[in-house]
Amino acid sequence: MPEVRVRFAPSPTGFLHIGGARTALFNWLFARHHGGKFVLRIEDTDTKRNTEEAMAAIYEGLEWLGLNWDEGPHVGGDFGPYLQSERTELYERYLKKLQDGSHIFEDQGALRFRSPREHVIVDDLVCGRIDFDLSNPATHPDMTIRRPDGSWIFHFVNVVDDLEMKISHVIRGEDHLSNTPKHIELIRALGATPPNYAHIPLILNRDGTKMSKRDAGARVEYYIQRGFLPAAVRNYLCLLGWSPKDDREKLDIGEIIRIFDVKNIGRSSATFDPDKLHWLNGEYARELSDENFYQLAVARLKSSGVKVDDYPEQYVRAALQTCKGKINTFDELPPYCGFYFTDDFGYDPQGAAKHFTAENRPRLKAVRDSLAALEKFDAAEVEAALKNTAAELGVKIRAIVHPVRLATTGSTVGPSLYHLLEVLGKEKVLARIDRALSTF
């Protein structure tokens, strides 16, 4: 089998779309599975819409997902340059080749490719064999390859670059399937052999609509900002259209590379389920080492304005350890554990209405007295004190657990109560209960 060479060829006209990232991922997996090359090519011929921000977002998104390219910008390679804006001389040479073969004619300043008017068979690795009838000029007009202003049309430069870069397999979204017979016509006119094609299904929202750039979660940047883990997002993207042919959903990337096969890419559109990604990210977050979790958590807290550096590292580590395994994404962390890093917090209104009652005031006071009497203030001793207090009051433990949690954290949900009280320490816990009692 000749060397496998695939490419991801985004246009820097907007941020990296999740569908584009999935296309890049499938190409990367295919290259890694076959020991081939993954090429990054920037199709920046649309100078009016290109932006440096979009270019940077492409690089950042791919790097964040761990999709290292073997050839392309910042890496180099034997078939560069890898920005189309720097390949004009090459396109001129290929245009002349088409002109010499009488395949080009001028039409109002534009240069058009003269279609041979034939059926083009596409043997697609995902979609199967498709017969495209290009014989009717009414439905298949001769395509423009160069505009009157001298700028190039996507179809032409795309084909030239695939040939020059020796791309063996073109793996792209099925919205490009209708372009493929046009590309094959151009390739044949240039006397070359077309690459293998594989068109992967589109990504849809849960309501069946196509996922557009305006949809929440459509940009890779969104997941970076929300504190998702790249390994989880990458794993989930693998499952959008491709299947390992068993019931597994969480797969190590090494295992995916080993079993990845375009034959296992389905024909039907893939539905993007944010809830499933959220769950999968939680599974990955639970498996982080304590040190990795700590580093990522601290970074997220700092970026959200929490003054973590004002507290001893031992305290911060102990506080964050109570959160591990309890959150799915790191953007959940500041509201979940913010109470560790400020005494000036409000109380959940619904929780206060339910638990800060006249009936609960003496119960909370009894808990305070029980905790104040403790010589050793650890989770086990705190738990015993609360259970003994509940027994003395003749109530179930939950009758005092909820008011205590609300008093010490401002919330009705959070880390294990006994452990968070141990981390806060006796002095702080008593002060917070006193503060809550003064609000009844």
Side-chain angles (χ1 to χ4, degrees):
M1 182 178 180
E3 183 185 36
V4 165
R5 292 180 56 81
V6 294
R7 48 70 165 179
F8 177 52
S11 299
T13 56
F15 292 96
L16 182 59
H17 188 274
I18 202 74
R22 195 268 310 256
T23 298
L25 173 60
F26 280 14
N27 277 278
W28 182 85
L29 287 169
F30 189 76
R32 295 292 171 264
H33 177 80
H34 290 286
K37 295 289 194 296
F38 173 58
V39 180
L40 176 62
R41 184 173 79 221
I42 304 297
E43 301 197 335
D44 60 341
T45 55
D46 191 348
T47 54
K48 294 178 181 176
R49 297 176 59 214
N50 296 334
T51 68
E52 288 297 323
E53 294 80 8
M55 191 99 76
I58 291 169
Y59 300 144
E60 180 187 14
L62 294 178
E63 288 169 352
W64 183 76
L65 286 167
L67 305 184
N68 56 306
W69 52 98
D70 303 298
E71 298 175 20
H74 312 311
V75 174
D78 295 335
F79 302 95
Y82 293 91
L83 273 65
Q84 286 186 338
S85 58
E86 299 174 4
R87 296 171 67 83
T88 298
E89 186 179 330
L90 176 71
Y91 305 142
E92 296 280 6
R93 198 161 72 241
Y94 271 80
L95 172 62
K96 186 173 188 310
K97 192 172 183 179
L98 288 176
Q99 288 172 324
D100 291 345
S102 301
H103 297 292
I104 301 294
F105 67 95
E106 187 175 341
D107 178 21
Q108 297 181 328
L111 296 181
R112 291 181 178 271
F113 173 74
R114 184 176 284 107
S115 171
R117 301 279 160 235
E118 59 187 358
H119 283 251
V120 176
I121 305 294
V122 177
D123 284 310
D124 193 274
L125 297 175
V126 173
C127 304
R129 172 166 281 214
I130 304 174
D131 183 343
F132 289 91
D133 182 2
L134 307 187
S135 60
N136 186 350
T139 56
H140 174 60
D142 293 316
M143 83 177 128
T144 300
I145 65 169
R146 194 171 200 175
R147 302 181 185 91
D149 64 3
S151 60
W152 303 100
I153 293 291
F154 152 79
H155 302 292
F156 176 64
V157 293
N158 183 275
V159 160
V160 170
D161 288 342
D162 283 346
L163 292 177
E164 278 288 311
M165 294 180 181
K166 302 189 185 306
I167 300 302
S168 65
H169 295 74
V170 172
I171 304 171
R172 58 190 178 189
E174 68 178 5
D175 50 334
H176 285 290
L177 181 58
S178 60
N179 294 328
T180 304
K182 304 173 188 176
H183 295 179
I184 290 176
E185 282 191 327
L186 275 171
I187 291 168
R188 287 175 179 166
L190 289 166
T193 302
N196 298 287
Y197 291 98
H199 289 86
I200 58 183
L202 299 179
I203 298 176
L204 303 180
N205 293 310
R206 283 187 287 198
D207 62 2
T209 58
K210 183 180 176 181
M211 201 173 192
S212 74
K213 293 180 179 179
R214 293 181 296 277
D215 293 318
R219 304 194 306 194
V220 172
E221 178 192 40
Y222 170 86
Y223 301 96
I224 299 175
Q225 293 175 344
R226 289 262 332 258
F228 279 78
L229 296 169
V233 176
R234 187 176 58 201
N235 185 160
Y236 182 66
L237 289 178
C238 288
L239 303 176
L240 292 178
W242 173 82
S243 169
K245 294 303 178 186
D246 54 35
D247 293 330
R248 287 180 297 169
E249 292 181 315
K250 185 175 182 295
L251 294 99
D252 176 79
I253 192 62
E255 171 68 359
I256 295 173
I257 289 171
R258 186 183 70 80
I259 64 176
F260 186 79
D261 190 335
V262 292
K263 293 176 183 175
N264 291 339
I265 297 175
R267 282 289 293 114
S268 57
S269 297
T271 300
F272 191 93
D273 184 348
D275 295 334
K276 180 178 266 191
L277 173 55
H278 193 252
W279 163 80
L280 186 60
N281 199 81
E283 295 298 300
Y284 274 86
R286 273 179 270 286
E287 292 184 357
L288 289 170
S289 69
D290 290 347
E291 185 61 28
N292 279 354
F293 183 85
Y294 171 76
Q295 296 295 342
L296 290 167
V298 166
R300 172 58 50 171
L301 290 172
K302 285 182 177 179
S303 69
S304 65
V306 177
K307 293 181 168 39
V308 180
D309 291 336
D310 291 352
Y311 296 82
E313 182 181 329
Q314 185 177 357
Y315 172 81
V316 177
R317 285 185 179 274
L320 293 176
Q321 193 59 34
T322 67
C323 304
K324 191 180 177 192
K326 304 296 180 65
I327 61 166
N328 285 331
T329 59
F330 281 89
D331 69 334
E332 297 171 8
L333 198 58
Y336 187 78
C337 74
F339 66 87
Y340 279 122
F341 307 103
T342 179
D343 295 317
D344 184 22
F345 53 80
Y347 302 103
D348 174 72
Q350 290 183 322
K354 185 176 181 180
H355 301 299
F356 283 178
T357 62
E359 183 182 30
N360 277 341
R361 193 176 199 286
R363 294 172 180 171
L364 190 57
K365 181 70 169 61
V367 170
R368 190 224 183 270
D369 294 341
S370 177
L371 293 176
L374 291 178
E375 291 186 13
K376 186 179 180 184
F377 202 82
D378 61 19
E381 294 294 324
V382 167
E383 181 178 6
L386 264 65
K387 287 182 175 177
N388 290 337
T389 303
E392 291 171 4
L393 293 171
V395 299
K396 288 186 165 36
I397 185 68
R398 67 171 177 267
I400 60 175
V401 160
H402 294 306
V404 172
R405 178 183 292 282
L406 189 64
T408 54
T409 71
S411 177
T412 57
V413 295
S416 161
L417 178 64
Y418 309 127
H419 290 92
L420 76 83
L421 294 180
E422 177 185 339
V423 173
L424 286 171
K426 183 176 179 179
E427 181 181 346
K428 197 180 286 284
V429 168
L430 296 180
R432 290 187 179 190
I433 292 176
D434 287 340
R435 176 178 177 241
L437 285 169
S438 70
T439 69
F440 272 63

